[in-house]
Short mmCIF file of all heavy atoms in Angstrom, two decimals:
data_model
loop_
_atom_site.label_atom_id
_atom_site.label_comp_id
_atom_site.label_asym_id
_atom_site.label_seq_id
_atom_site.Cartn_x
_atom_site.Cartn_y
_atom_site.Cartn_z
N ALA G 841 0.83 -1.18 -0.02
CA ALA G 841 0.04 -0.05 -0.01
C ALA G 841 0.83 1.24 0.01
O ALA G 841 1.96 1.29 0.53
CB ALA G 841 -0.93 -0.02 1.20
N MET G 842 0.36 2.31 -0.58
CA MET G 842 1.00 3.58 -0.61
C MET G 842 -0.06 4.63 -0.34
O MET G 842 -1.21 4.44 -0.84
CB MET G 842 1.65 3.90 -1.87
CG MET G 842 2.71 2.86 -2.33
SD MET G 842 3.67 3.30 -3.85
CE MET G 842 4.95 4.35 -3.17
N GLY G 843 0.30 5.64 0.42
CA GLY G 843 -0.68 6.63 0.78
C GLY G 843 -0.10 8.00 1.12
O GLY G 843 1.17 8.08 1.24
N TRP G 844 -0.95 8.92 1.24
CA TRP G 844 -0.54 10.24 1.63
C TRP G 844 -1.27 10.67 2.88
O TRP G 844 -2.51 10.54 2.95
CB TRP G 844 -0.86 11.30 0.49
CG TRP G 844 0.00 11.08 -0.63
CD1 TRP G 844 -0.27 10.36 -1.79
CD2 TRP G 844 1.25 11.68 -0.91
NE1 TRP G 844 0.77 10.42 -2.72
CE2 TRP G 844 1.74 11.16 -2.21
CE3 TRP G 844 2.15 12.48 -0.16
CZ2 TRP G 844 2.99 11.56 -2.73
CZ3 TRP G 844 3.36 12.82 -0.66
CH2 TRP G 844 3.72 12.38 -1.92
N TYR G 845 -0.53 11.21 3.90
CA TYR G 845 -1.07 11.75 5.08
C TYR G 845 -0.69 13.22 5.09
O TYR G 845 0.24 13.66 4.38
CB TYR G 845 -0.49 11.07 6.30
CG TYR G 845 -0.91 9.59 6.52
CD1 TYR G 845 -0.54 8.61 5.70
CD2 TYR G 845 -1.77 9.37 7.59
CE1 TYR G 845 -0.91 7.30 5.94
CE2 TYR G 845 -2.20 8.04 7.80
CZ TYR G 845 -1.82 7.01 7.02
OH TYR G 845 -2.20 5.76 7.21
N ARG G 846 -1.43 13.97 5.89
CA ARG G 846 -1.03 15.37 6.08
C ARG G 846 -1.28 15.72 7.57
O ARG G 846 -2.10 15.19 8.24
CB ARG G 846 -1.85 16.29 5.21
CG ARG G 846 -3.40 16.33 5.50
CD ARG G 846 -4.09 17.15 4.42
NE ARG G 846 -5.52 17.25 4.72
CZ ARG G 846 -6.40 17.83 3.84
NH1 ARG G 846 -6.02 18.26 2.69
NH2 ARG G 846 -7.71 17.87 4.21
N GLN G 847 -0.47 16.77 7.91
CA GLN G 847 -0.59 17.23 9.28
C GLN G 847 -0.38 18.79 9.24
O GLN G 847 0.61 19.29 8.85
CB GLN G 847 0.49 16.60 10.15
CG GLN G 847 0.42 16.92 11.60
CD GLN G 847 1.28 16.09 12.49
OE1 GLN G 847 2.30 15.53 12.00
NE2 GLN G 847 0.92 15.96 13.73
N ALA G 848 -1.41 19.45 9.82
CA ALA G 848 -1.42 20.85 9.94
C ALA G 848 -0.95 21.17 11.37
O ALA G 848 -1.07 20.42 12.29
CB ALA G 848 -2.76 21.51 9.68
N PRO G 849 -0.36 22.44 11.62
CA PRO G 849 0.07 22.74 12.94
C PRO G 849 -1.06 22.61 13.93
O PRO G 849 -2.17 23.10 13.76
CB PRO G 849 0.46 24.20 12.75
CG PRO G 849 0.89 24.36 11.35
CD PRO G 849 -0.10 23.42 10.62
N GLY G 850 -0.77 21.90 15.04
CA GLY G 850 -1.68 21.79 16.09
C GLY G 850 -2.72 20.71 15.89
O GLY G 850 -3.66 20.59 16.70
N LYS G 851 -2.65 19.97 14.74
CA LYS G 851 -3.67 18.97 14.41
C LYS G 851 -2.99 17.58 14.22
O LYS G 851 -1.75 17.47 14.03
CB LYS G 851 -4.40 19.34 13.13
CG LYS G 851 -5.15 20.61 13.15
CD LYS G 851 -5.81 20.98 11.86
CE LYS G 851 -6.91 19.93 11.51
NZ LYS G 851 -7.60 20.25 10.23
N GLN G 852 -3.85 16.57 14.41
CA GLN G 852 -3.40 15.22 14.23
C GLN G 852 -3.08 14.85 12.82
O GLN G 852 -3.86 15.37 11.92
CB GLN G 852 -4.40 14.31 14.88
CG GLN G 852 -3.94 12.82 14.83
CD GLN G 852 -5.01 11.91 15.55
OE1 GLN G 852 -5.83 12.41 16.28
NE2 GLN G 852 -4.92 10.64 15.29
N ARG G 853 -2.08 14.09 12.56
CA ARG G 853 -1.85 13.63 11.18
C ARG G 853 -3.07 12.74 10.70
O ARG G 853 -3.54 11.88 11.45
CB ARG G 853 -0.56 12.78 11.15
CG ARG G 853 -0.15 12.37 9.70
CD ARG G 853 1.19 11.65 9.79
NE ARG G 853 2.26 12.56 10.25
CZ ARG G 853 3.53 12.21 10.23
NH1 ARG G 853 3.93 11.11 9.74
NH2 ARG G 853 4.40 13.10 10.70
N GLU G 854 -3.55 13.03 9.50
CA GLU G 854 -4.66 12.36 8.98
C GLU G 854 -4.40 11.75 7.59
O GLU G 854 -3.56 12.23 6.84
CB GLU G 854 -5.90 13.26 8.87
CG GLU G 854 -5.65 14.42 7.90
CD GLU G 854 -6.87 15.33 7.72
OE1 GLU G 854 -7.97 14.89 8.00
OE2 GLU G 854 -6.74 16.43 7.17
N LEU G 855 -5.01 10.64 7.34
CA LEU G 855 -4.96 9.96 6.04
C LEU G 855 -5.76 10.78 5.00
O LEU G 855 -6.86 11.13 5.20
CB LEU G 855 -5.49 8.59 6.16
CG LEU G 855 -5.47 7.78 4.80
CD1 LEU G 855 -4.11 7.55 4.25
CD2 LEU G 855 -6.18 6.46 5.02
N VAL G 856 -5.06 11.06 3.87
CA VAL G 856 -5.68 11.85 2.77
C VAL G 856 -6.16 10.91 1.75
O VAL G 856 -7.31 11.04 1.26
CB VAL G 856 -4.69 12.88 2.27
CG1 VAL G 856 -5.29 13.60 1.08
CG2 VAL G 856 -4.30 13.87 3.38
N ALA G 857 -5.27 10.05 1.28
CA ALA G 857 -5.59 9.10 0.17
C ALA G 857 -4.63 7.95 0.30
O ALA G 857 -3.58 8.02 0.74
CB ALA G 857 -5.38 9.79 -1.17
N GLN G 858 -5.17 6.81 -0.18
CA GLN G 858 -4.48 5.52 -0.16
C GLN G 858 -4.73 4.75 -1.34
O GLN G 858 -5.86 4.76 -1.88
CB GLN G 858 -4.90 4.81 1.11
CG GLN G 858 -4.19 3.57 1.43
CD GLN G 858 -4.59 2.91 2.71
OE1 GLN G 858 -5.66 3.25 3.27
NE2 GLN G 858 -3.85 1.93 3.24
N ILE G 859 -3.70 4.02 -1.77
CA ILE G 859 -3.86 3.03 -2.84
C ILE G 859 -3.30 1.73 -2.41
O ILE G 859 -2.22 1.65 -1.92
CB ILE G 859 -3.23 3.56 -4.18
CG1 ILE G 859 -3.51 2.58 -5.33
CG2 ILE G 859 -1.72 3.82 -4.03
CD1 ILE G 859 -3.21 3.15 -6.69
N ILE G 860 -4.16 0.73 -2.56
CA ILE G 860 -3.80 -0.59 -2.06
C ILE G 860 -3.77 -1.58 -3.21
O ILE G 860 -4.69 -1.54 -4.03
CB ILE G 860 -4.79 -1.07 -1.01
CG1 ILE G 860 -4.84 -0.12 0.17
CG2 ILE G 860 -4.46 -2.52 -0.47
CD1 ILE G 860 -6.02 -0.40 1.17
N GLY G 861 -2.80 -2.43 -3.28
CA GLY G 861 -2.77 -3.53 -4.27
C GLY G 861 -2.51 -2.97 -5.67
O GLY G 861 -2.72 -3.70 -6.61
N GLY G 862 -2.16 -1.72 -5.82
CA GLY G 862 -1.82 -1.20 -7.13
C GLY G 862 -2.93 -0.44 -7.76
O GLY G 862 -2.66 0.34 -8.71
N ASP G 863 -4.17 -0.67 -7.31
CA ASP G 863 -5.31 -0.01 -8.04
C ASP G 863 -6.52 0.34 -7.22
O ASP G 863 -7.41 1.05 -7.70
CB ASP G 863 -5.71 -0.89 -9.23
CG ASP G 863 -6.12 -2.29 -8.82
OD1 ASP G 863 -6.21 -2.56 -7.60
OD2 ASP G 863 -6.36 -3.11 -9.74
N SER G 864 -6.62 -0.17 -6.03
CA SER G 864 -7.75 0.13 -5.15
C SER G 864 -7.45 1.40 -4.30
O SER G 864 -6.53 1.47 -3.62
CB SER G 864 -8.03 -1.01 -4.23
OG SER G 864 -9.19 -0.78 -3.35
N THR G 865 -8.30 2.39 -4.50
CA THR G 865 -8.10 3.68 -3.85
C THR G 865 -9.20 4.07 -2.89
O THR G 865 -10.31 3.58 -2.98
CB THR G 865 -7.99 4.82 -4.93
OG1 THR G 865 -9.21 4.89 -5.63
CG2 THR G 865 -6.88 4.47 -5.91
N MET G 866 -8.81 4.91 -1.95
CA MET G 866 -9.75 5.49 -1.05
C MET G 866 -9.30 6.89 -0.74
O MET G 866 -8.14 7.26 -0.82
CB MET G 866 -9.93 4.73 0.26
CG MET G 866 -8.63 4.58 1.02
SD MET G 866 -8.94 3.85 2.67
CE MET G 866 -9.84 5.23 3.54
N TYR G 867 -10.22 7.82 -0.35
CA TYR G 867 -9.97 9.20 -0.08
C TYR G 867 -10.70 9.64 1.18
O TYR G 867 -11.76 9.21 1.50
CB TYR G 867 -10.39 10.00 -1.24
CG TYR G 867 -9.72 9.74 -2.56
CD1 TYR G 867 -10.26 8.80 -3.38
CD2 TYR G 867 -8.54 10.36 -2.88
CE1 TYR G 867 -9.56 8.50 -4.60
CE2 TYR G 867 -7.93 10.11 -4.03
CZ TYR G 867 -8.44 9.18 -4.95
OH TYR G 867 -7.79 8.89 -6.13
N ALA G 868 -10.07 10.65 1.82
CA ALA G 868 -10.73 11.32 2.90
C ALA G 868 -11.92 12.06 2.26
O ALA G 868 -11.85 12.57 1.14
CB ALA G 868 -9.83 12.25 3.60
N ASP G 869 -13.02 12.23 3.01
CA ASP G 869 -14.17 12.94 2.54
C ASP G 869 -13.83 14.42 2.16
O ASP G 869 -14.40 14.89 1.14
CB ASP G 869 -15.27 12.93 3.57
CG ASP G 869 -15.91 11.52 3.76
OD1 ASP G 869 -15.79 10.69 2.87
OD2 ASP G 869 -16.57 11.36 4.79
N SER G 870 -12.88 14.94 2.80
CA SER G 870 -12.59 16.34 2.56
C SER G 870 -11.92 16.58 1.24
O SER G 870 -11.87 17.78 0.72
CB SER G 870 -11.68 16.87 3.68
OG SER G 870 -10.50 16.16 3.80
N VAL G 871 -11.42 15.58 0.61
CA VAL G 871 -10.67 15.73 -0.65
C VAL G 871 -11.30 14.97 -1.81
O VAL G 871 -10.83 15.09 -2.98
CB VAL G 871 -9.19 15.26 -0.55
CG1 VAL G 871 -8.53 16.00 0.64
CG2 VAL G 871 -9.08 13.78 -0.34
N LYS G 872 -12.37 14.28 -1.57
CA LYS G 872 -12.99 13.50 -2.67
C LYS G 872 -13.49 14.44 -3.76
O LYS G 872 -14.06 15.48 -3.51
CB LYS G 872 -14.19 12.72 -2.07
CG LYS G 872 -13.80 11.49 -1.30
CD LYS G 872 -15.09 10.70 -0.82
CE LYS G 872 -14.64 9.49 -0.08
NZ LYS G 872 -15.86 8.76 0.45
N GLY G 873 -13.20 14.04 -4.94
CA GLY G 873 -13.53 14.85 -6.14
C GLY G 873 -12.55 15.87 -6.46
O GLY G 873 -12.60 16.43 -7.59
N ARG G 874 -11.52 16.08 -5.63
CA ARG G 874 -10.45 17.07 -5.90
C ARG G 874 -9.11 16.46 -6.03
O ARG G 874 -8.30 16.91 -6.78
CB ARG G 874 -10.41 18.15 -4.79
CG ARG G 874 -11.79 18.94 -4.69
CD ARG G 874 -11.59 20.06 -3.63
NE ARG G 874 -11.26 19.61 -2.28
CZ ARG G 874 -10.19 19.89 -1.64
NH1 ARG G 874 -9.23 20.76 -2.22
NH2 ARG G 874 -9.96 19.43 -0.37
N PHE G 875 -8.84 15.46 -5.24
CA PHE G 875 -7.55 14.82 -5.29
C PHE G 875 -7.57 13.43 -5.94
O PHE G 875 -8.60 12.73 -5.83
CB PHE G 875 -7.03 14.56 -3.81
CG PHE G 875 -6.68 15.80 -3.05
CD1 PHE G 875 -6.94 17.10 -3.57
CD2 PHE G 875 -5.96 15.71 -1.82
CE1 PHE G 875 -6.58 18.28 -2.94
CE2 PHE G 875 -5.63 16.88 -1.15
CZ PHE G 875 -5.91 18.11 -1.69
N THR G 876 -6.52 13.08 -6.56
CA THR G 876 -6.40 11.76 -7.21
C THR G 876 -5.09 11.12 -6.85
O THR G 876 -4.08 11.70 -7.10
CB THR G 876 -6.64 11.92 -8.71
OG1 THR G 876 -7.82 12.42 -9.03
CG2 THR G 876 -6.58 10.47 -9.34
N ILE G 877 -5.12 9.96 -6.31
CA ILE G 877 -3.93 9.16 -6.03
C ILE G 877 -3.69 8.15 -7.14
O ILE G 877 -4.66 7.50 -7.63
CB ILE G 877 -3.94 8.50 -4.63
CG1 ILE G 877 -2.61 7.90 -4.29
CG2 ILE G 877 -5.13 7.48 -4.59
CD1 ILE G 877 -2.47 7.41 -2.87
N SER G 878 -2.45 8.07 -7.54
CA SER G 878 -2.12 7.08 -8.57
C SER G 878 -0.75 6.44 -8.25
O SER G 878 0.00 7.06 -7.49
CB SER G 878 -2.16 7.66 -10.00
OG SER G 878 -1.27 8.72 -10.13
N ARG G 879 -0.37 5.39 -8.98
CA ARG G 879 0.82 4.77 -8.65
C ARG G 879 1.43 4.18 -9.92
O ARG G 879 0.74 3.59 -10.77
CB ARG G 879 0.58 3.53 -7.70
CG ARG G 879 1.77 2.66 -7.38
CD ARG G 879 1.41 1.58 -6.40
NE ARG G 879 2.49 0.56 -6.35
CZ ARG G 879 2.39 -0.56 -5.67
NH1 ARG G 879 1.30 -0.82 -4.98
NH2 ARG G 879 3.41 -1.42 -5.66
N ASP G 880 2.71 4.37 -10.09
CA ASP G 880 3.43 3.76 -11.11
C ASP G 880 4.11 2.49 -10.48
O ASP G 880 5.15 2.69 -9.79
CB ASP G 880 4.56 4.67 -11.70
CG ASP G 880 5.31 4.12 -12.85
OD1 ASP G 880 5.45 2.88 -12.99
OD2 ASP G 880 5.82 4.91 -13.72
N ASN G 881 3.55 1.35 -10.72
CA ASN G 881 3.98 0.20 -10.01
C ASN G 881 5.42 -0.26 -10.44
O ASN G 881 6.19 -0.79 -9.65
CB ASN G 881 3.01 -1.04 -10.34
CG ASN G 881 1.67 -0.76 -9.73
OD1 ASN G 881 1.58 -0.19 -8.62
ND2 ASN G 881 0.65 -1.29 -10.37
N ALA G 882 5.76 -0.04 -11.72
CA ALA G 882 7.05 -0.44 -12.19
C ALA G 882 8.15 0.47 -11.54
O ALA G 882 9.31 -0.05 -11.32
CB ALA G 882 7.11 -0.29 -13.73
#
C-alpha cells in the first residue's frame, strides 16, 4: 500500500488518500472529487 497523510500545525496527522494493491483507492471525505492518487507500479 502507498498513501498520503497530512498534518497541519496543532492537528493530528490524517490520512488523505491511499492506494492498495496497485489499483484500489480511497480518499478522505474532505478531498473527494479534488484529489487523485495514482501509482507507477514499475
Side-chain angles (χ1 to χ4, degrees):
M842 305 184 82
W844 291 94
Y845 290 71
R846 67 186 181 188
Q847 187 168 23
K851 299 180 64 177
Q852 183 177 342
R853 186 175 299 186
E854 64 174 341
L855 177 65
V856 177
Q858 185 178 16
I859 183 165
I860 302 174
D863 56 8
S864 180
T865 61
M866 62 170 291
Y867 299 90
D869 289 340
S870 60
V871 306
K872 286 182 179 178
R874 299 187 297 119
F875 291 10
T876 302
I877 187 170
S878 61
R879 174 183 169 184
D880 185 332
N881 294 329

